[in-house]
Amino acid sequence: MYDSFAGYEADRQSIDERHKERSLKQRAVLGSAGDVRVAGHCYCCGRDSVFTIHWDGKTSPNWREEFKCERCGLNTRLRGSVQAFEKLCKPWPRTRIYATEYATPFFEWLLRHYPNATGSEFSGIQLPVPEGIPDERWARACRTENVTALSFPGQEFDAVLSFDVLEHVPDYRKALGEFFRVLKPGGRIVLTAPFIEHNPQTIIRARIDQDGVIEHLLPPEYHGDPISDAGCLCYYHFGWDLLDEFSAAGFEDVQSRFYWSMRLGYPGNQHLITARRPRSRAAEKLSGGTIRR
Ligand SMILES: [Zn+2]
């Protein structure tokens, strides 16, 4: 857990050694090319399960987006994020949670466990109500929202969960400001996005020019989009300066967290960012945040 690039760099030697050790363990698990099944314990299912990944035998496998649990279908990044969220936020079943997605297996999992959760997509999409979730709960939970201009009142949620959405938002600073605004004092955000751990600075891959036209500074990279086959353009590969942007939005206790566990099905070098809206106005002032309601 690090709150700055300097702290991370100071530990760099031991981090690199740990990476090497873990790579060897991962290589041993893969065995030969093909569909690989690995027994372990799924935090989201609360029981032993099997994680699966397809390996071509040559390139490094995508541990982050694959290695799905055979029971809940959630990949490494989402299972790890759920565990971090529950450990940090200690939520109750009625806790108010805002997730920046709903057309995903993750949101179905969330709504089954937290009936007061709200999810949003940028464009509305009609989906069949998942089995076991009451129609009314599903209809109430799913919203169409622009994360740079949320329609929720201020201090509405105990937690904000945003997984691999921020890199698709050209004005991501505005989105961080909105996440801050809708959180209750003391509320936490758990966020994942492409993060280059060796980079102090964010890489800008694309931007919007004055005429509203997308300008590609690097070859366009599209990520899977649950509501569109075209995929979603990635504007940023974030670096450590993203932590400063959280602080500028008013957050405190901004931490970059890395985790790895073969038993829990978290191979690769997994990463997430956590931060908290200060509990009191005095603390908000100290951290430089602006209070907006
Ligand atoms: Zn599972």
Side-chain angles (χ1 to χ4, degrees):
M1 187 168 89
Y2 299 96
D3 61 7
S4 70
F5 182 63
Y8 168 82
E9 275 292 278
D11 273 358
R12 187 65 182 274
Q13 197 180 346
S14 61
I15 290 168
D16 287 350
E17 278 165 20
R18 216 156 46 221
H19 280 347
K20 267 185 218 156
E21 257 172 54
R22 290 171 174 176
S23 293
L24 290 174
K25 285 182 186 160
Q26 288 165 198
R27 180 66 193 83
V29 159
L30 284 172
S32 51
D35 291 321
V36 179
R37 299 175 77 249
V38 182
H41 183 88
C42 175
Y43 177 86
C44 295
C45 294
R47 57 196 294 186
D48 288 352
S49 185
V50 170
F51 307 111
T52 61
I53 191 164
H54 184 82
W55 185 45
D56 64 8
K58 289 175 274 205
T59 51
S60 178
N62 190 347
W63 296 111
R64 186 173 187 264
E65 296 303 314
E66 295 189 44
F67 219 48
K68 289 179 182 167
C69 165
E70 279 189 348
R71 291 182 186 279
C72 63
L74 298 184
N75 64 20
T76 305
R77 142 175 91 78
L78 290 166
R79 285 182 284 102
S81 300
V82 166
Q83 182 167 359
F85 154 64
E86 291 198 336
K87 294 285 173 206
L88 268 172
C89 302
K90 300 183 176 55
W92 295 86
R94 309 299 293 179
T95 294
R96 288 284 284 137
I97 303 164
Y98 170 50
T100 57
E101 60 188 275
Y102 70 73
T104 58
F106 160 70
F107 188 70
E108 290 180 24
W109 181 93
L110 191 71
L111 201 54
R112 284 199 174 92
H113 292 78
Y114 300 96
N116 272 341
T118 295
S120 77
E121 296 286 349
F122 184 55
S123 312
I125 178 172
Q126 286 290 335
L127 294 170
V129 180
E131 220 178 288
I133 295 179
D135 288 14
E136 187 204 7
R137 187 194 300 178
W138 182 252
R140 196 181 56 229
C142 301
R143 305 267 293 240
T144 303
E145 294 282 346
N146 172 351
V147 293
T148 65
L150 295 172
S151 67
F152 309 115
Q155 305 192 12
E156 178 76 1
F157 298 101
D158 302 288
V160 169
L161 307 179
S162 184
F163 303 142
D164 283 34
V165 165
L166 202 67
E167 71 272 25
H168 304 295
V169 182
D171 194 352
Y172 74 89
R173 293 177 182 90
K174 213 167 172 188
L176 292 180
E178 281 295 85
F179 296 154
F180 182 90
R181 182 182 67 80
V182 301
L183 273 174
K184 295 175 188 173
R188 287 190 188 264
I189 179 167
V190 178
L191 181 139
T192 67
F195 185 84
I196 313 295
E197 65 173 284
H198 301 146
N199 278 5
Q201 300 294 328
T202 290
I203 296 168
I204 303 171
R205 304 190 59 88
R207 63 188 174 198
I208 310 265
D209 72 14
Q210 285 177 337
D211 302 321
V213 177
I214 296 170
E215 183 188 357
H216 295 286
L217 306 177
L218 288 166
E221 180 179 290
Y222 294 93
H223 296 171
D225 182 347
I227 61 169
S228 156
D229 289 340
C232 203
L233 181 66
C234 174
Y235 288 83
Y236 304 102
H237 282 178
F238 292 105
W240 286 84
D241 53 350
L242 178 57
L243 274 62
D244 302 331
E245 298 296 345
F246 272 85
S247 300
F251 288 101
E252 64 177 15
D253 194 18
V254 184
Q255 302 286 349
S256 194
R257 297 167 189 264
F258 297 93
Y259 61 98
W260 186 96
S261 164
M262 204 41 112
R263 162 139 180 82
L264 290 168
Y266 309 143
N269 186 32
Q270 303 303 327
H271 173 260
L272 48 81
I273 292 176
T274 59
R276 184 176 60 213
R277 176 168 174 162
R279 287 202 177 84
S280 68
R281 286 188 187 205
E284 276 185 0
K285 274 189 188 146
L286 279 174
S287 73
T290 47
I291 301 166
R292 284 171 291 165
R293 296 203 166 79

